[in-house]
Amino acid sequence: MEITGAEIVVRCLAEEGVEHVFGYPGGAVLYIYDEIFKQDRFQHILVRHEQAAVHAADAYSRSSHRTGVALVTSGPGVTNAVTGIATAYMDSIPMVVITGQVPSHAIGQDAFQECDTVGITRPCVKHNFLVKDVRELASTIKKAFFIARTGRPGPVLVDIPKDITVARAEFDYSAPVEMRSYRPVARGHLGQIKKAIQLLHGAERPMIYAGGGVVLANAHAELAALVERLGAPCTTTLMGLGGFSATDPKFVGMPGMHGTYEANMAMQNCDVLLAVGARFDDRVIGNPEHFASSPRKIIHVDIDPSSISKRVRVDVPIVGNLLDVLAELIVQIDAIQSGPNHKLLAPWWGQINEWRRRDCLAYAGSDSVIKPQFVVEKLYEVTSGDAFITSDVGQHQMWAAQYYRFAKPRRWINSGGLGTMGVGLPYAMGVQMANPGADVAVITGEGSIQMCIQELSTCKQYHLTPKIISLNNRYLGMVRQWQQIDYSSRYSESYMDALPDFVKLAEAYGHVGMRIESPGDVEAALREAFRMKDRLVFLDFITDQTENVWPMVKSGRGLTEMLLGAEEL
């Protein structure tokens, strides 16, 4: 029996086991929305802006290991979604974005609400499709899901002209996906793995550098087992936080621009560096020439061969799925040793503990003004470190990464590669839909939260109850910090002098608002907010305007050239 293209879309999503779709309707997708109305296999979440639809689908995936799905209309619906698509692409998040398009005969005619979706999104998707024949619609959607979640994950876009959604074809979703041009490698080369073992076995100063790939591959247990066997220190990137427990004594903190002193010093001074699911990006290694100035052997494990030796020359490349490669590394290590050589490693750990004594994350407390670091520390205590934390981008993001000690994967949801302001609230929506009943907190700033604040309406409609922790310093904080350090305190357009009353604004959307101005009220406010399980609570913490994020590696500097505080400016 033939069915319409719109029915095929809905049937495909049901076959993929999709439970939630985030979207916003428009003319080009109305036939699809009509079929959504008729079905009960999945729930559609109506956001208030297409950017939020994609962010929510992104976080849904990050927090659940499922493929996120977003649905938007043509033209401005697509262009509004591009920021969310690029955000997911930079962080390798599996997602399928279905977009409406003007009818096939009108493509290229500057039709109403037409844009070149394939051309616009090509640089920021893993792959995209324009469906030209309704008979190819089901197989195209099946390919999209397969491509999105295999190999190095990423967003895949399917652009569907409106006439395709009314055309008819038989529905068949049984054929397996076969693409000659796309065959991702899973298992690492055994010879390369054995070379890596030889280097690690003889290392006097080994170091493990783990990135977001560990979380995406669900390889956190294997990473912990490997660290235990090697007895090596482990650092995780911003995207890798929670991939190795921050409560483990072998964890030395986050590396990079705002990483810990001990992590950066260990990265620079190790003799063998094992990089797993990380890409040596500029915010982690600083100046590549400075990073390469220290003699060390580098082993790099990644699912994406294009990421290996892209910025840093490596000695032992291993291409494969992290889960499989780490498991094989453990097997090979167990074959030649019973445990770490503590005697060999003792001087290295002595040096690391010496670096740790610098206590680089210490900050001056206050009885009169709220320190943002203090709020994050109290949030960690109140939630017992077990909440899902989403963040926007800026100083508050770095404080969250530094002071909330993530012990589990997929609990830290933030935009790493693109650094997208505005993601925090829609991220929380996606997390709550994927993890009903869980505690979810949004750590944000008064600048970031206003970029998608209309999603407070979505939260009201769907009874979503995240706690919004606004670290309100009345500045675009990270911009102000850079202006202070690099631009002689010329604060050009970084001061926010027309802020809304966030308490009243939250109440206007039907939520609870609190304004906290005294350090003595921080913990009580947080505890009260989390007791209100059935309410969204906006906590507006009025924080110290002068506080900066330390340590800091300035742009163009090396990892060991850290500023540890304002006194070093």
Side-chain angles (χ1 to χ4, degrees):
M1 183 179 68
E2 292 187 342
I3 60 176
T4 67
E7 291 177 274
I8 289 173
V9 171
V10 170
R11 290 278 296 274
C12 289
L13 296 180
E15 289 288 335
E16 289 290 343
V18 171
E19 296 180 3
H20 296 92
V21 174
F22 301 87
Y24 202 94
V29 288
L30 284 184
Y31 286 111
I32 297 174
Y33 271 90
D34 192 45
E35 292 303 322
I36 288 174
F37 181 85
K38 299 173 186 177
Q39 60 83 46
D40 60 2
R41 297 284 295 276
F42 57 83
Q43 181 183 11
H44 180 276
I45 309 301
L46 175 65
V47 297
R48 302 307 186 256
H49 191 285
E50 291 90 350
Q51 179 178 341
V54 184
H55 287 329
D58 173 351
Y60 185 91
S61 177
R62 292 182 197 240
S63 64
S64 68
H65 198 228
R66 286 174 274 178
T67 303
V69 179
L71 171 61
V72 302
T73 194
S74 63
V78 169
T79 56
N80 281 346
V82 167
T83 296
I85 296 169
T87 300
Y89 178 71
M90 287 289 283
D91 291 344
S92 304
I93 306 304
M95 185 165 58
V96 172
V97 181
I98 297 172
T99 60
Q101 184 54 275
V102 299
S104 301
H105 65 82
I107 294 176
Q109 303 296 314
D110 294 330
F112 176 68
Q113 290 193 332
E114 179 191 1
C115 71
D116 179 7
T117 298
V118 169
I120 288 170
T121 61
R122 184 176 286 120
C124 62
V125 293
K126 187 176 178 183
H127 195 65
N128 58 17
F129 298 91
L130 171 62
V131 181
K132 298 179 180 180
D133 188 331
V134 69
R135 292 169 295 182
E136 297 174 355
L137 180 56
S139 62
T140 299
I141 292 175
K142 190 164 188 175
K143 287 177 184 177
F145 275 91
F146 179 75
I147 294 169
R149 62 182 171 231
T150 55
R152 180 177 180 174
V156 178
L157 184 142
V158 181
D159 196 32
I160 307 175
K162 188 170 184 178
D163 58 303
I164 299 296
T165 65
V166 292
R168 289 180 171 270
E170 291 185 359
F171 176 73
D172 181 9
Y173 211 68
S174 60
V177 174
E178 289 288 342
M179 288 178 285
R180 287 186 302 169
S181 60
Y182 180 69
R183 297 184 183 277
V185 175
R187 302 185 67 84
H189 190 279
L190 185 57
Q192 293 295 91
I193 290 174
K194 289 183 176 180
K195 287 181 183 178
I197 295 300
Q198 290 176 351
L199 287 177
L200 291 166
H201 186 61
E204 296 180 0
R205 302 186 308 280
M207 179 75 177
I208 297 176
Y209 154 51
V214 171
V215 176
L216 292 171
N218 279 348
H220 51 282
E222 287 71 19
L223 176 61
L226 183 64
V227 172
E228 186 62 31
R229 282 163 171 77
L230 294 176
C234 181
T235 181
T236 58
T237 65
L238 182 73
M239 295 306 303
L241 291 175
F244 184 75
S245 175
T247 62
D248 191 295
K250 294 184 181 64
F251 181 67
V252 293
M254 182 176 68
M257 177 173 283
H258 295 296
T260 65
Y261 182 75
E262 53 267 31
N264 285 350
M265 294 298 288
M267 283 276 285
Q268 193 69 26
N269 291 285
C270 62
D271 62 352
V272 176
L273 178 63
L274 172 60
V276 291
R279 56 190 179 90
F280 293 94
D281 68 279
D282 57 302
R283 289 296 175 102
V284 168
I285 67 165
N287 185 327
E289 291 184 9
H290 180 276
F291 186 76
S293 66
S294 295
R296 65 168 85 76
K297 296 293 184 181
I298 298 178
I299 305 159
H300 191 181
V301 184
D302 205 284
I303 189 69
D304 182 4
S306 71
S307 290
I308 295 178
S309 291
K310 187 174 185 178
R311 301 192 73 246
V312 170
R313 186 187 67 83
V314 305
D315 300 281
V316 182
I318 303 173
V319 178
N321 179 46
L322 278 184
L323 193 66
D324 296 317
V325 174
L326 293 184
E328 187 59 38
L329 280 168
I330 291 167
V331 169
Q332 297 298 324
I333 289 171
D334 287 345
I336 63 172
Q337 68 182 53
S338 57
N341 187 336
H342 295 295
K343 185 176 180 180
L344 180 68
L345 298 175
W348 179 226
W349 276 108
Q351 177 62 79
I352 289 170
N353 290 328
E354 185 66 29
W355 290 326
R356 276 175 164 166
R357 280 191 276 275
R358 295 292 295 268
D359 196 11
C360 66
L361 296 183
Y363 63 94
S366 173
D367 293 328
S368 58
V369 63
I370 297 174
K371 296 289 185 175
Q373 304 95 318
F374 177 71
V375 177
V376 178
E377 287 179 328
K378 285 301 177 184
L379 177 64
Y380 177 76
E381 290 179 21
V382 167
T383 60
S384 301
D386 201 39
F388 287 86
I389 305 295
T390 76
S391 84
D392 276 297
V393 172
Q395 286 182 316
H396 57 271
Q397 176 191 27
M398 294 299 105
W399 286 316
Q402 290 174 330
Y403 294 95
Y404 197 99
R405 298 174 61 78
F406 294 94
K408 298 177 183 178
R410 300 189 182 275
R411 297 300 177 100
W412 167 236
I413 314 295
N414 84 119
S415 168
L418 197 65
T420 306
M421 292 175 68
V423 297
L425 182 53
Y427 270 3
M429 289 159 32
V431 169
Q432 275 215 316
M433 295 307 299
N435 304 272
D439 283 336
V440 180
V442 183
I443 297 180
T444 185
E446 75 292 334
S448 285
I449 191 62
Q450 293 188 81
M451 289 196 167
C452 282
I453 202 164
Q454 73 282 343
E455 299 309 317
L456 287 173
S457 176
T458 307
C459 291
K460 181 65 175 177
Q461 179 174 346
Y462 295 98
H463 310 291
L464 301 174
T465 60
K467 314 311 175 196
I468 300 174
I469 315 298
S470 175
L471 304 180
N472 185 348
N473 61 9
R474 289 83 74 206
Y475 273 104
L476 298 177
M478 192 60 84
V479 173
R480 183 205 58 76
Q481 177 168 335
W482 282 62
Q483 288 173 334
Q484 177 188 348
I485 294 170
D486 285 341
Y487 300 89
S488 303
S489 297
R490 293 186 294 274
Y491 299 130
S492 177
E493 305 304 323
S494 57
Y495 180 65
M496 309 270 300
D497 59 356
L499 291 173
D501 183 328
F502 287 110
V503 172
K504 290 182 179 178
L505 185 58
E507 291 171 347
Y509 277 104
H511 303 301
V512 176
M514 299 181 184
R515 182 181 174 95
I516 304 95
E517 300 183 73
S518 170
D521 296 332
V522 169
E523 182 175 349
L526 287 168
R527 292 194 181 279
E528 183 182 356
F530 279 95
R531 279 195 294 268
M532 288 187 266
K533 297 292 185 183
D534 61 343
R535 299 298 300 274
L536 182 151
V537 184
F538 193 117
L539 298 102
D540 190 21
F541 291 96
I542 308 304
T543 61
D544 188 344
Q545 288 189 284
T546 65
E547 200 68 24
N548 286 334
V549 181
W550 307 112
M552 179 179 177
V553 179
K554 293 176 65 175
S555 181
R557 298 292 180 88
L559 270 185
T560 59
E561 300 174 312
M562 286 168 279
L563 299 174
L564 298 184
E567 66 279 358
E568 297 188 11
L569 292 177

